Structures are given as structure tokens and as C-alpha cells.
Amino acid sequence: MKCGFVSLVGRPNVGKSTLLNSLLGMKLAITSNVSGTTRNVIQGIYNDIDSQIIFIDTPGIHKPTHKLGNLMNKKAYNNTEGVDVVLFLIDISKGFGKGDQYILDRIKDKGVPVFLLLNKIDQIKDKTILLQKINELKELYDFAEIIPISAMKNNNLNVVVDCIKKYLDETEKIFSEDDLTNVTTRFIMAEFVREKVLELTKQEIPHTVTCYVENYEEEEDLVHIQVLIVVDRDNVKKIIIGKGGSMLKEIGSRARFDMEKFLGKKVFLETYVKTLKNWRDEEKYFLELGLKDEDE
């Protein structure tokens, strides 16, 4: 049995969470076309007939402007240590930029095989341009593999898995086949709400909003969930609530759909919005809101 750990790294909004979800065949990490969506390190466990691969989705590495940003970068860098393979994603439709080089400079000396995944190839119509870009990128570093993919369209993901297996050791399974992830169901439910906030309030950057499950009660065929939406400014709170509560109602409706699909049960969802000024710079809030581990 081939088993091991694989870390996904890259700039914000290059498609790491989409790739994780596509590889697992289920929605585990939230996605958004707004950069910086992923905050926590999420492990997704892939099983097939001859392998178990623990994928680690990390926050996008970026230039931090507050303590939360520093925490996110620390989580991303820490999770390139001790893994068997690093998947370095870039958005090939936008090319290889300074932000990508910044990340490469920090992972290339880890002594771990680095795959360069050229995501969003479905957005490049002229494949001769794609081949040209691949030849240029070969000169940057001795990548273990260079694989063009589309995480959204599931293009070449089977190639990614097959290549990963070549770099894994033969060993017993690390987790049981019933294990799907390291994060709690409460965390996933809160993330579903945050995803819908980002979908419906595109003018606001994602770091100003976080969500936290205050109450979770599961019955035989119904789950009661209360989610607190935390923002750092009153004007953002007004946007999320909307006129007559219309926006908050739509957020709840969309989130409840994903919750019911994930849980396989009906969900009674209540959402609230609270302002905590400057919470992104207050470490005391990180643990409470599930953004920091107790031993950090």
C-alpha cells in the first residue's frame, strides 16, 4: 500500500481548494473567486485500491498586512515540512509571477519532490502557448513533475495521483477508510456559511469575515445549527444583513443546501452577525474563532 502526505501550496486563488475537492470527489474546502479564502490547514484523505494519500490544503501564501495574515503564512510554510510531495500550483492563465517566485524560493530547499501543477489550462485555448510556457518553466527549477491540469474540469487529475504514488513509500494505511478529514463537522458547517458570504458580497475582502458554530445539535433526521458571522466593521455587518435581512436570508439558504448535502439530513440553520473591531489583529480571537490551535 502506497501511503504518504502531500502538501498543496501556491498563491491565493490559484485553485488549491478546488483541486482538493476534485481529488476527493466531495466538497470539503470552501472555494471562492476572491483570493485568500482558505485560512486553516485542511487535510483531506484520499483512498483507492492501492494507496492512501493525505492531502494538506494550505492558506495561500501572500504578503501579510495583519497578524491573521502572518498566522496564515506560518501555517502554509509549516505544512511543507515532513511531507512526501509538495504540489506547487500556479494559475497558468495568468503566467508565473513574482508571487509564484517568492513561494518557489521558500519551498525549493525543503528536500522534498516538488510538482509544478499548471492549473486552469481550460482557460488557454491555444495549446502551443501552453507548451511554450511549460518549456520556459522547466528552466526555473528541477521540478520532479510538471503537469498541466484543470482542477475545475478534472483534467489530468488521475495523472497527478499516479505520479504522486511513485514518490510514496510502501507502508500500512495511516488512517481508516472511514476517516475523511482532520477538521470537525462544526468547522465545515461554519466554512459553508463563510463561502456564501464571499459569493454574495464580492466587494468585501474575505479577511474581514469569519464564521463560528456556536451551537450544533444533531437528532435522528434533523440537525440544528447556529452560526455566528464575525466582521470587523459595522458597515460590513449592514451589507451582510441586507435590506430587511434579505442578504442574510439568502446566505443561510445557500449554506443550508450544502450542509444538507454534506450531512445527508435536514438542517435548521440560524445565523447571526456580530462586529468585533480589529479582530484580525487580536490573537485572543484566533483560538475562539477556530483560527489558531491551542499549542501554537
Side-chain angles (χ1 to χ4, degrees), residues 35-52:
S35 66
T37 302
T38 300
R39 293 213 189 98
N40 290 59
V41 173
I42 300 172
Q43 291 182 3
I45 303 168
Y46 170 92
N47 290 284
D48 64 19
I49 193 169
D50 61 356
S51 71
Q52 182 178 83

Side-chain angles (χ1 to χ4, degrees), residues 241-253:
I241 293 175
K243 186 176 181 180
S246 58
M247 177 67 78
L248 190 59
K249 182 179 180 181
E250 182 64 18
I251 290 167
S253 177

Side-chain angles (χ1 to χ4, degrees), residues 171-224:
T171 182
E172 294 183 359
K173 285 188 176 182
I174 301 167
F175 296 96
S176 79
E177 290 192 12
D178 294 331
D179 293 325
L180 300 175
T181 180
N182 66 315
V183 296
T184 65
T185 299
R186 292 170 69 107
F187 171 82
I188 295 172
M189 297 302 104
E191 287 289 270
F192 283 159
V193 174
R194 187 163 69 92
E195 179 183 58
K196 304 315 172 188
V197 171
L198 302 186
E199 284 182 1
L200 293 165
T201 60
K202 293 182 174 63
Q203 70 271 39
E204 297 300 330
I205 61 171
H207 297 167
T208 65
V209 178
T210 196
C211 297
Y212 177 74
V213 172
E214 290 198 307
N215 188 49
Y216 184 97
E217 296 179 10
E218 189 165 357
E219 300 176 4
E220 185 175 349
D221 54 3
L222 179 68
V223 184
H224 295 259

Side-chain angles (χ1 to χ4, degrees), residues 3-41:
C3 297
F5 290 83
V6 175
S7 182
L8 284 65
V9 301
R11 290 185 296 109
N13 205 31
V14 295
K16 298 184 297 298
S17 296
T18 301
L19 175 60
L20 178 66
N21 292 339
S22 295
L23 287 166
L24 298 179
M26 63 178 292
K27 184 168 185 174
L28 183 61
I30 68 169
T31 60
S32 168
N33 59 4
V34 183
S35 66
T37 302
T38 300
R39 293 213 189 98
N40 290 59
V41 173

Side-chain angles (χ1 to χ4, degrees), residues 21-243:
N21 292 339
S22 295
L23 287 166
L24 298 179
M26 63 178 292
K27 184 168 185 174
L28 183 61
I30 68 169
T31 60
S32 168
N33 59 4
V34 183
S35 66
T37 302
T38 300
R39 293 213 189 98
N40 290 59
V41 173
I42 300 172
Q43 291 182 3
I45 303 168
Y46 170 92
N47 290 284
D48 64 19
I49 193 169
D50 61 356
S51 71
Q52 182 178 83
I53 306 172
I54 299 91
F55 289 101
I56 306 170
D57 184 22
T58 61
I61 298 172
H62 61 292
K63 185 176 180 180
T65 58
H66 40 66
K67 288 184 179 179
L68 176 60
N70 286 321
L71 173 64
M72 291 163 63
N73 275 357
K74 180 182 177 183
K75 284 177 177 285
Y77 287 129
N78 286 349
N79 282 276
T80 60
E81 303 282 353
V83 298
D84 298 285
V85 175
V86 171
L87 302 184
F88 175 31
L89 272 74
I90 68 169
D91 181 347
I92 193 61
S93 68
K94 295 181 179 178
F96 191 93
K98 291 182 179 179
D100 300 304
Q101 186 63 54
Y102 177 85
I103 296 169
L104 179 59
D105 290 341
R106 281 151 183 79
I107 64 174
K108 65 183 182 182
D109 296 325
K110 299 287 187 181
V112 178
V114 177
F115 290 16
L116 180 63
L117 301 189
L118 314 180
N119 194 25
K120 306 186 184 182
I121 59 170
D122 52 300
Q123 297 182 21
I124 299 180
K125 304 305 178 185
D126 188 345
K127 299 309 177 187
T128 59
I129 295 176
L130 179 60
L131 291 173
Q132 180 182 341
K133 290 186 176 184
I134 291 174
N135 287 327
E136 293 172 356
L137 293 168
K138 284 180 180 177
E139 304 300 319
L140 294 176
Y141 177 68
D142 185 20
F143 294 105
E145 308 281 350
I146 299 179
I147 308 174
I149 67 167
S150 171
M152 183 71 71
K153 304 290 186 180
N154 286 322
N155 290 348
N156 282 347
L157 300 196
N158 60 327
V159 175
V160 174
V161 171
D162 289 341
C163 286
I164 289 172
K165 291 179 185 180
K166 294 189 297 183
Y167 295 85
L168 302 182
D169 293 330
E170 291 279 351
T171 182
E172 294 183 359
K173 285 188 176 182
I174 301 167
F175 296 96
S176 79
E177 290 192 12
D178 294 331
D179 293 325
L180 300 175
T181 180
N182 66 315
V183 296
T184 65
T185 299
R186 292 170 69 107
F187 171 82
I188 295 172
M189 297 302 104
E191 287 289 270
F192 283 159
V193 174
R194 187 163 69 92
E195 179 183 58
K196 304 315 172 188
V197 171
L198 302 186
E199 284 182 1
L200 293 165
T201 60
K202 293 182 174 63
Q203 70 271 39
E204 297 300 330
I205 61 171
H207 297 167
T208 65
V209 178
T210 196
C211 297
Y212 177 74
V213 172
E214 290 198 307
N215 188 49
Y216 184 97
E217 296 179 10
E218 189 165 357
E219 300 176 4
E220 185 175 349
D221 54 3
L222 179 68
V223 184
H224 295 259
I225 303 174
Q226 292 179 327
V227 177
L228 175 65
I229 302 171
V230 179
V231 300
D232 63 354
R233 300 191 306 275
D234 286 334
N235 65 323
V236 178
K237 177 179 178 179
K238 291 178 181 177
I239 291 171
I240 292 175
I241 293 175
K243 186 176 181 180

